[in-house]
Amino acid sequence: MGLCPAGRAGGAGLSLVNRLPLVRGKYIEAAPLADVTWLRVGGPAEVLYLPADETDLARFLGETPDDIPVHVLGAGSNTLVRDGGVPGVVIRLTGAFARTEALGENRLRAGAGALDKMVAKAAAKAGIAGMEYLVGVPGTIGGALRMNAGCYEQETRDVVVEVVALDRAGRRIIAKPDELAYGYRHSGAPADWIFVEAVLQGTADEPSAITERMDAITARRETTQPIREKTSGSTFANPDAPGTPNARKTWQLIDQAGGRGLRVGGAHFSEQHCNFLINDGTATAADLEDLGEEVRARVKHKSGVDLRWEVKRIGVRGKGESK
């Protein structure tokens, strides 16, 4: 594949594309993002970049001017793109970044673009236990590494052996778990790191037993969460880490504050699980964000707790929208 100055689609944003380096991947101008996010809202990326591989991405980062904003979008499961779109470049890691490979010694290498559930399935096939929880985590391994994603008392930091990342200058970094400063739904990795792969480790078990546990997690999610809706999963992180005495649950705080079923425009909080923000098909990004902020304000007033957004919000508000 030769170097590509654009791989262009559309006519907007030419001046930005012309400031970007030659790549082997693809640039797409004014790229719609609503169709690739689970909430199905939001404006376009000024430029969407699909890198061919790690070397291509490193070149892009090293040669892109520092004043050009760069964002990473995984599966779009945990992201709210604002109606005004995203200035600068949005990077999506697909293709070469979505591969998984069993390494032996109960280890698995997973690209940052690999879907969490596919990594869980690859681990099960290889007889590696401990990664079953990933079948219940929407998104990709890159997002799981960034936010220490988890469910049902398991977290990503429990299985990480090492990660590979590129910084904003395109330098390759190999880091161990203690360098990532993991906390509850948080990592202390520098904000400019783009994770490209990770080595994960579990324990040996029979594939059939692992698959059975994964099926139980999937069944539990289907009965307790509105996973068939246009939603991004948990909207806010719990205020207390698992295991904390008298730990408070976000859904309980929202319920107590009258947030269950609360609606703004085409957005509402689920009746089934009131920490899930849902687009009924007519919502704008502003509807969803404004409703989230309204519920945060109600919880703060009722219980004094400042809920922290677990959903990543990127881009700018649309014209005429309040800030």
Side-chain angles (χ1 to χ4, degrees):
M1 186 185 298
L3 293 178
C4 176
R8 295 174 181 168
L14 288 175
S15 60
L16 175 59
V17 168
N18 289 339
R19 295 183 62 202
L20 299 177
L22 297 176
V23 294
R24 289 180 292 108
K26 186 176 183 180
Y27 294 135
I28 304 172
E29 301 169 71
L33 296 179
D35 290 344
V36 299
T37 63
W38 289 25
L39 284 168
R40 294 293 190 268
V41 296
E46 189 172 0
V47 173
L48 178 66
Y49 168 45
L50 307 175
D53 52 30
E54 182 184 326
T55 302
D56 194 47
L57 177 58
R59 177 191 178 115
F60 167 84
L61 293 169
E63 298 182 13
T64 295
D66 290 341
D67 65 321
I68 296 177
V70 171
H71 309 270
V72 179
L73 179 66
S77 61
N78 198 48
T79 303
L80 174 63
V81 177
R82 294 185 172 114
D83 296 309
V86 185
V89 180
V90 174
I91 300 171
R92 290 202 78 197
L93 303 182
T94 58
F97 297 95
R99 296 171 183 159
T100 60
E101 176 190 8
L103 301 177
E105 298 182 341
N106 301 314
R107 292 187 174 190
L108 188 79
R109 178 182 289 114
L115 291 172
D116 296 325
K117 67 178 180 180
M118 299 309 294
V119 174
K121 290 179 180 180
K125 184 178 180 179
I128 304 172
M131 303 177 203
E132 295 90 332
Y133 78 97
L134 286 168
V135 80
V137 178
T140 60
I141 287 296
L145 294 171
R146 171 59 65 183
M147 65 175 293
N148 188 27
C151 65
Y152 306 137
E153 312 307 320
Q154 283 187 282
E155 297 177 304
T156 299
R157 63 177 168 185
D158 298 331
V159 297
V160 173
V161 173
E162 71 175 27
V163 303
V164 178
L166 300 176
D167 67 11
R168 185 60 173 80
R171 292 180 292 246
R172 194 173 200 258
I173 299 151
I174 300 176
K176 301 298 183 183
D178 58 358
E179 299 174 74
L180 300 175
Y182 275 129
Y184 173 64
R185 299 296 178 269
H186 169 80
S187 86
D192 70 335
W193 283 15
I194 297 177
F195 294 108
V196 294
E197 68 176 44
V199 175
L200 312 175
Q201 183 163 22
T203 57
D205 200 357
E206 290 296 324
S208 59
I210 299 170
T211 300
E212 186 175 336
R213 292 193 291 272
M214 288 166 49
D215 290 345
I217 289 172
T218 300
R220 180 176 174 182
R221 288 187 69 231
E222 288 180 345
T223 58
T224 61
Q225 300 174 5
I227 61 175
R228 307 294 180 190
E229 304 280 359
K230 296 180 180 67
T231 183
S232 58
S234 295
T235 306
F236 306 109
N238 286 319
D240 305 307
T244 302
N246 302 313
R248 297 161 295 180
K249 298 289 188 181
T250 292
W251 74 264
Q252 293 172 330
L253 297 172
I254 292 174
D255 209 13
Q256 292 164 6
R260 185 182 295 272
L262 194 65
R263 177 178 292 271
V264 168
H268 68 276
F269 273 93
S270 171
E271 293 279 1
Q272 182 180 13
H273 191 310
C274 58
N275 192 22
F276 278 61
L277 192 55
I278 292 174
N279 173 10
D280 70 5
T282 66
T284 63
D287 289 341
L288 292 158
E289 187 168 13
D290 291 348
L291 177 57
E293 288 300 321
E294 171 64 21
V295 164
R296 286 186 71 240
R298 291 190 180 201
V299 169
K300 175 67 174 178
H301 178 76
K302 178 72 175 180
S303 65
V305 174
D306 276 316
L307 293 179
R308 173 170 62 87
W309 279 89
E310 196 167 306
V311 174
K312 182 180 180 183
R313 296 163 293 162
I314 63 173
V316 297
R317 306 275 292 202
K319 290 182 179 179
E321 292 179 6
S322 59
K323 301 298 182 183

